[in-house]
Coordinates of all heavy atoms in Angstrom, one line a residue:
M1 N 100.2 102.4 85.8 CA 101.1 101.2 86.5 C 102.3 100.9 85.5 O 103.3 100.6 86.1 CB 100.2 100.1 86.7 CG 99.2 100.4 87.8 SD 100.1 100.5 89.4 CE 99.4 99.1 90.2
A2 N 102.0 100.8 84.2 CA 103.1 100.4 83.3 C 104.2 101.5 83.3 O 105.5 101.0 83.3 CB 102.6 100.4 82.0
K3 N 103.9 102.8 83.6 CA 105.0 103.7 83.5 C 105.9 103.5 84.7 O 107.1 103.8 84.6 CB 104.3 105.2 83.6 CG 105.3 106.3 83.6 CD 104.7 107.7 83.7 CE 105.5 108.8 83.8 NZ 104.9 110.1 84.0
L4 N 105.3 103.1 85.8 CA 106.2 102.9 87.0 C 106.7 101.5 87.2 O 107.4 101.1 88.1 CB 105.3 103.2 88.3 CG 104.8 104.6 88.5 CD1 103.9 104.8 89.6 CD2 106.0 105.6 88.5
R5 N 106.3 100.7 86.2 CA 106.7 99.2 86.1 C 106.4 98.4 87.3 O 107.1 97.6 87.8 CB 108.3 99.2 85.9 CG 108.7 99.8 84.4 CD 110.2 100.0 84.3 NE 110.8 98.7 84.7 CZ 112.1 98.6 84.6 NH1 112.9 99.6 84.3 NH2 112.7 97.5 85.0
L6 N 105.2 98.8 87.9 CA 104.8 98.0 89.1 C 104.1 96.7 88.8 O 104.0 95.9 89.5 CB 103.8 98.9 90.0 CG 104.4 100.3 90.6 CD1 103.5 100.9 91.2 CD2 105.6 99.8 91.5
D7 N 103.7 96.5 87.5 CA 103.1 95.2 87.1 C 104.1 94.1 87.3 O 103.7 93.0 87.6 CB 102.8 95.4 85.6 CG 101.8 96.4 85.3 OD1 101.2 96.9 86.2 OD2 101.6 96.7 84.1
A8 N 105.4 94.3 87.2 CA 106.4 93.2 87.4 C 106.7 92.9 88.8 O 107.4 92.0 89.2 CB 107.6 93.6 86.7
V9 N 106.3 93.8 89.7 CA 106.6 93.5 91.2 C 105.4 92.5 91.7 O 104.3 92.7 91.8 CB 106.5 94.8 91.9 CG1 106.7 94.6 93.5 CG2 107.5 95.8 91.4
K10 N 106.1 91.4 92.2 CA 105.2 90.4 92.9 C 105.5 90.5 94.4 O 106.6 90.5 94.8 CB 105.5 89.0 92.4 CG 104.6 87.8 92.9 CD 105.1 86.5 92.3 CE 104.1 85.5 93.0 NZ 104.7 84.0 92.7
P11 N 104.3 90.5 95.1 CA 104.4 90.7 96.5 C 105.1 89.5 97.1 O 104.9 88.3 96.7 CB 103.1 90.9 97.0 CG 102.2 90.5 95.9 CD 103.0 90.6 94.7
L12 N 105.9 89.6 98.2 CA 106.5 88.4 98.9 C 105.4 87.5 99.7 O 105.6 86.3 99.9 CB 107.4 88.9 99.9 CG 108.7 89.6 99.3 CD1 109.6 90.1 100.4 CD2 109.5 88.6 98.4
Y13 N 104.3 88.2 100.1 CA 103.2 87.6 100.8 C 102.0 88.3 100.6 O 101.9 89.4 100.1 CB 103.6 87.5 102.3 CG 103.9 88.7 103.0 CD1 102.9 89.6 103.5 CD2 105.2 89.2 103.2 CE1 103.2 90.8 103.9 CE2 105.6 90.4 103.6 CZ 104.5 91.2 104.1 OH 104.8 92.4 104.7
T14 N 100.9 87.5 100.8 CA 99.6 88.1 100.6 C 98.9 88.6 101.9 O 99.5 88.3 102.9 CB 98.6 87.0 99.9 OG1 98.5 86.0 100.9 CG2 99.2 86.5 98.8
L15 N 97.8 89.3 101.8 CA 97.1 89.7 103.0 C 96.7 88.6 103.9 O 97.0 88.6 105.0 CB 95.9 90.6 102.5 CG 95.1 91.2 103.8 CD1 96.1 92.0 104.7 CD2 94.0 92.0 103.3
P16 N 96.1 87.5 103.3 CA 95.8 86.3 104.1 C 97.1 85.7 104.8 O 97.0 85.3 106.0 CB 95.3 85.4 103.2 CG 94.7 86.1 102.1 CD 95.6 87.3 102.0
D17 N 98.3 85.8 104.1 CA 99.6 85.3 104.8 C 99.8 86.2 106.0 O 100.1 85.5 107.1 CB 100.7 85.3 103.8 CG 100.6 84.4 102.6 OD1 99.8 83.3 102.7 OD2 101.2 84.7 101.6
A18 N 99.7 87.5 105.9 CA 100.0 88.4 107.0 C 99.0 88.1 108.1 O 99.4 88.0 109.3 CB 100.0 89.9 106.5
E19 N 97.7 87.8 107.8 CA 96.7 87.7 108.8 C 96.9 86.5 109.6 O 96.8 86.3 110.9 CB 95.3 87.7 108.3 CG 94.9 89.1 107.7 CD 93.7 89.2 107.1 OE1 93.3 88.2 106.4 OE2 93.1 90.4 106.9
K20 N 97.4 85.3 108.8 CA 97.7 84.1 109.5 C 98.9 84.3 110.5 O 99.0 83.7 111.4 CB 98.0 83.0 108.4 CG 98.2 81.7 109.0 CD 98.6 80.7 107.9 CE 98.9 79.3 108.5 NZ 99.3 78.4 107.5
A21 N 99.9 85.0 110.0 CA 101.1 85.3 110.8 C 100.8 85.9 112.1 O 101.5 85.6 113.1 CB 102.2 86.1 110.0
L22 N 99.8 86.8 112.3 CA 99.4 87.3 113.4 C 99.1 86.3 114.5 O 99.0 86.7 115.8 CB 98.3 88.4 113.1 CG 98.7 89.6 112.4 CD1 97.5 90.6 112.1 CD2 99.8 90.4 113.2
S23 N 98.5 85.2 114.1 CA 98.1 84.1 115.0 C 99.4 83.7 116.0 O 99.1 83.0 116.9 CB 97.3 83.0 114.3 OG 98.3 82.3 113.7
Y24 N 100.5 83.9 115.5 CA 101.6 83.4 116.1 C 102.3 84.4 117.2 O 103.3 84.1 117.8 CB 102.9 83.1 115.2 CG 102.5 82.0 114.2 CD1 102.1 82.1 112.9 CD2 102.6 80.6 114.7 CE1 101.7 81.1 112.0 CE2 102.2 79.6 113.8 CZ 101.8 79.8 112.5 OH 101.5 78.8 111.8
F25 N 101.6 85.6 117.2 CA 102.0 86.5 118.3 C 101.1 86.6 119.4 O 99.9 86.4 119.2 CB 102.0 88.0 117.5 CG 103.1 88.2 116.5 CD1 102.9 87.7 115.3 CD2 104.3 88.6 116.9 CE1 103.8 87.9 114.3 CE2 105.2 88.9 115.9 CZ 105.2 88.4 114.6
D26 N 101.7 86.9 120.6 CA 100.9 87.1 121.9 C 101.2 88.6 122.3 O 102.3 89.0 122.5 CB 101.3 86.1 122.9 CG 100.9 84.7 122.5 OD1 99.9 84.5 122.0 OD2 101.7 83.8 122.9
P27 N 100.1 89.4 122.5 CA 100.3 90.7 122.9 C 100.5 90.7 124.5 O 99.8 90.0 125.3 CB 99.0 91.4 122.5 CG 98.0 90.3 122.6 CD 98.7 89.1 122.1
Y28 N 101.3 91.5 125.1 CA 101.5 91.7 126.4 C 101.7 93.1 126.7 O 102.3 93.8 125.9 CB 102.8 91.0 126.9 CG 102.7 89.5 126.8 CD1 103.3 88.8 125.8 CD2 102.1 88.7 127.8 CE1 103.2 87.4 125.7 CE2 101.9 87.4 127.7 CZ 102.6 86.7 126.7 OH 102.5 85.4 126.5
P29 N 101.1 93.7 127.7 CA 101.2 95.1 128.0 C 102.6 95.3 128.7 O 103.3 94.5 129.1 CB 100.1 95.3 129.2 CG 99.8 93.8 129.7 CD 100.1 93.0 128.7
Y30 N 102.9 96.6 128.6 CA 104.1 97.1 129.1 C 104.2 96.7 130.8 O 103.2 96.6 131.3 CB 104.4 98.6 129.1 CG 104.6 99.1 127.6 CD1 103.8 100.1 127.1 CD2 105.3 98.4 126.8 CE1 103.9 100.6 126.0 CE2 105.5 98.9 125.4 CZ 104.8 99.9 125.0 OH 104.9 100.4 123.7
K31 N 105.4 96.6 131.2 CA 105.7 96.3 132.7 C 105.2 94.9 133.1 O 104.9 94.7 134.3 CB 105.2 97.3 133.5 CG 105.9 98.7 133.2 CD 105.5 99.8 134.1 CE 106.0 101.1 133.8 NZ 105.5 102.3 134.6
T32 N 104.8 94.0 132.1 CA 104.4 92.7 132.4 C 105.5 91.7 132.2 O 106.0 91.6 131.1 CB 103.2 92.2 131.6 OG1 102.1 93.2 131.8 CG2 102.7 90.8 131.9
T33 N 105.8 90.8 133.2 CA 106.8 89.9 133.1 C 106.4 88.7 132.5 O 105.3 88.1 133.1 CB 107.7 89.7 134.3 OG1 108.1 90.9 134.9 CG2 108.7 88.7 134.4
V34 N 107.0 88.1 131.5 CA 106.6 86.8 130.8 C 107.7 85.8 130.9 O 108.8 86.2 130.6 CB 106.3 87.2 129.3 CG1 105.8 86.0 128.5 CG2 105.4 88.4 129.2
D35 N 107.3 84.6 131.2 CA 108.2 83.6 131.1 C 108.5 83.2 129.7 O 107.6 83.0 129.0 CB 107.7 82.3 131.9 CG 107.6 82.5 133.3 OD1 108.4 83.1 133.9 OD2 106.6 82.0 134.1
I36 N 109.9 83.1 129.4 CA 110.3 82.9 128.1 C 111.2 81.6 127.9 O 111.5 81.1 126.8 CB 111.0 84.1 127.3 CG1 112.2 84.3 128.2 CG2 110.0 85.1 127.2 CD1 113.1 85.4 127.4
G37 N 111.3 80.9 129.0 CA 112.3 79.7 128.9 C 112.7 79.3 130.3 O 112.2 79.9 131.2
H38 N 113.4 78.3 130.5 CA 113.9 77.8 131.7 C 114.6 78.8 132.5 O 115.7 79.3 132.2 CB 114.9 76.6 131.5 CG 115.2 75.9 132.8 ND1 114.3 75.3 133.7 CD2 116.4 75.9 133.4 CE1 114.9 74.8 134.9 NE2 116.2 75.1 134.5
Q39 N 114.0 79.4 133.6 CA 114.4 80.4 134.5 C 114.8 81.7 133.7 O 115.9 82.4 134.1 CB 115.8 79.9 135.2 CG 115.4 78.7 136.2 CD 116.7 78.3 137.0 OE1 117.8 78.5 136.7 NE2 116.3 77.9 138.2
M40 N 114.0 82.0 132.7 CA 114.3 83.2 132.0 C 112.9 84.0 131.8 O 111.9 83.4 131.7 CB 114.8 82.9 130.6 CG 116.2 82.3 130.5 SD 116.8 82.1 128.9 CE 117.0 83.7 128.3
T41 N 112.9 85.3 132.0 CA 111.8 86.1 131.9 C 112.1 87.3 130.9 O 113.3 87.7 130.6 CB 111.3 86.7 133.2 OG1 112.3 87.4 133.7 CG2 110.9 85.6 134.0
C42 N 111.1 88.0 130.3 CA 111.2 89.1 129.5 C 110.1 90.2 130.0 O 109.0 89.8 130.1 CB 111.0 88.8 128.1 SG 111.3 90.3 127.0
T43 N 110.6 91.4 130.2 CA 109.7 92.4 130.6 C 109.8 93.5 129.6 O 110.9 93.9 129.2 CB 110.0 92.9 132.0 OG1 110.1 91.8 132.9 CG2 109.0 94.0 132.5
F44 N 108.6 94.1 129.1 CA 108.6 95.1 128.1 C 108.4 96.4 128.7 O 107.6 96.7 129.6 CB 107.6 94.8 127.0 CG 107.8 93.4 126.4 CD1 106.9 92.4 126.7 CD2 108.6 93.3 125.5 CE1 107.1 91.1 126.0 CE2 108.9 92.1 124.8 CZ 108.2 90.9 125.1
F45 N 109.1 97.4 128.3 CA 109.0 98.7 128.7 C 108.7 99.7 127.6 O 109.3 99.5 126.5 CB 110.2 99.3 129.5 CG 110.3 98.4 130.8 CD1 111.0 97.5 130.8 CD2 109.7 98.7 132.0 CE1 111.3 96.7 132.1 CE2 109.8 98.1 133.2 CZ 110.7 97.0 133.1
D46 N 108.0 100.8 127.7 CA 107.8 101.7 126.6 C 109.1 102.4 126.2 O 109.6 103.1 127.1 CB 106.7 102.7 127.2 CG 106.4 103.8 126.1 OD1 106.6 103.6 124.9 OD2 105.6 104.7 126.3
A47 N 109.4 102.4 125.0 CA 110.6 103.0 124.6 C 110.4 104.4 124.2 O 111.3 105.3 124.3 CB 111.2 102.2 123.2
G48 N 109.2 104.8 123.9 CA 108.7 106.2 123.9 C 109.1 107.0 122.4 O 108.4 107.9 122.2
H49 N 110.0 106.3 121.7 CA 110.2 107.2 120.5 C 109.5 106.8 119.2 O 109.3 107.6 118.3 CB 111.9 107.0 120.2 CG 112.3 105.6 119.9 ND1 112.3 104.7 120.9 CD2 112.6 105.0 118.8 CE1 112.7 103.6 120.4 NE2 112.9 103.7 119.1
I50 N 108.9 105.7 119.4 CA 107.9 105.3 118.2 C 106.8 104.6 118.8 O 106.8 103.8 119.7 CB 108.6 104.1 117.3 CG1 109.9 104.8 116.7 CG2 107.7 103.6 116.2 CD1 110.8 103.8 115.9
L51 N 105.5 105.1 118.4 CA 104.3 104.5 118.9 C 104.4 102.9 118.9 O 104.6 102.4 117.8 CB 103.2 105.1 118.0 CG 101.7 104.6 118.6 CD1 101.5 105.3 119.9 CD2 100.6 105.2 117.6
G52 N 104.1 102.3 120.1 CA 104.0 100.9 120.1 C 105.4 100.2 120.2 O 105.5 99.0 120.5
S53 N 106.5 101.2 120.3 CA 107.8 100.5 120.4 C 108.1 100.0 121.8 O 107.5 100.6 122.8 CB 108.9 101.4 119.9 OG 108.9 102.5 120.6
A54 N 108.9 99.0 122.0 CA 109.3 98.6 123.3 C 110.8 98.3 123.6 O 111.4 98.0 122.6 CB 108.4 97.4 123.8
I55 N 111.2 98.4 124.8 CA 112.6 97.9 125.2 C 112.3 96.6 125.9 O 111.4 96.5 126.7 CB 113.2 99.1 126.1 CG1 113.4 100.3 125.4 CG2 114.5 98.4 126.8 CD1 113.9 101.4 126.4
S56 N 113.0 95.6 125.6 CA 112.9 94.3 126.1 C 114.0 94.0 127.2 O 115.2 94.2 126.8 CB 113.0 93.2 125.1 OG 111.9 93.4 124.1
V57 N 113.7 93.8 128.3 CA 114.6 93.4 129.4 C 114.6 91.9 129.6 O 113.5 91.4 130.2 CB 114.4 94.1 130.7 CG1 115.4 93.9 131.8 CG2 114.5 95.7 130.4
V58 N 115.6 91.1 129.3 CA 115.6 89.6 129.4 C 116.5 89.5 130.7 O 117.6 89.8 130.9 CB 116.2 89.0 128.2 CG1 116.3 87.5 128.5 CG2 115.4 89.3 127.0
T59 N 115.9 88.6 131.6 CA 116.5 88.2 132.8 C 116.6 86.7 132.9 O 115.8 86.1 132.6 CB 115.7 88.8 134.1 OG1 115.6 90.1 134.0 CG2 116.5 88.4 135.3
A60 N 117.9 86.3 133.1 CA 118.1 84.7 133.3 C 118.6 84.5 134.6 O 119.4 85.3 135.2 CB 119.2 84.4 132.2
R61 N 118.1 83.4 135.3 CA 118.5 83.2 136.6 C 119.5 81.9 136.5 O 119.2 81.0 135.8 CB 117.2 82.8 137.4 CG 116.4 84.0 137.7 CD 115.5 83.6 138.9 NE 114.8 84.8 139.3 CZ 115.3 85.8 140.1 NH1 116.5 85.6 140.6 NH2 114.6 86.8 140.3
E62 N 120.6 82.0 137.4 CA 121.5 80.9 137.4 C 121.9 80.8 138.9 O 122.4 81.9 139.4 CB 122.7 81.1 136.5 CG 123.6 80.0 136.5 CD 124.6 80.1 135.4 OE1 125.4 81.2 135.7 OE2 124.8 79.4 134.5
S63 N 122.0 79.7 139.4 CA 122.3 79.4 140.8 C 121.5 80.4 141.8 O 122.1 80.9 142.8 CB 123.8 79.7 141.0 OG 124.6 78.8 140.3
G64 N 120.2 80.6 141.5 CA 119.3 81.3 142.4 C 119.4 82.8 142.2 O 118.7 83.5 142.8
G65 N 120.3 83.4 141.3 CA 120.4 84.7 141.2 C 120.3 85.2 139.8 O 120.6 84.4 138.9
P66 N 120.0 86.5 139.5 CA 119.7 86.9 138.1 C 121.1 87.3 137.6 O 122.1 87.5 138.1 CB 119.0 88.1 138.3 CG 119.1 88.7 139.7 CD 119.5 87.5 140.5

């Protein structure tokens, strides 16, 4: 470890910090529309190039139309 000077590297967060952060996320399956605000929705689609990656389509409604 001393040769690589890793002793001086202090992590930005701990494992318990990361586990606590996960409680702020909600999983949604692809092609599920989620309300994200006043007259706004988000739908996730499989991006395909990275496992678990998604494309987000955000739709806002104004005067009755998207």
Side-chain angles (χ1 to χ4, degrees):
M1 291 292 243
K3 181 179 177 182
L4 299 176
R5 297 174 45 188
L6 295 178
D7 299 343
V9 176
K10 183 179 178 188
L12 297 175
Y13 52 86
T14 64
L15 182 58
D17 292 335
E19 290 171 342
K20 182 180 177 186
L22 290 175
S23 69
Y24 294 100
F25 290 88
D26 294 323
Y28 292 98
Y30 295 133
K31 299 180 184 176
T32 299
T33 301
V34 180
D35 290 326
I36 59 171
H38 182 67
Q39 295 187 334
M40 294 182 68
T41 61
C42 182
T43 307
F44 302 103
F45 296 92
D46 183 10
H49 62 289
I50 298 173
L51 184 63
S53 64
I55 296 170
S56 303
V57 177
V58 177
T59 304
R61 295 198 169 278
E62 184 176 59
S63 301

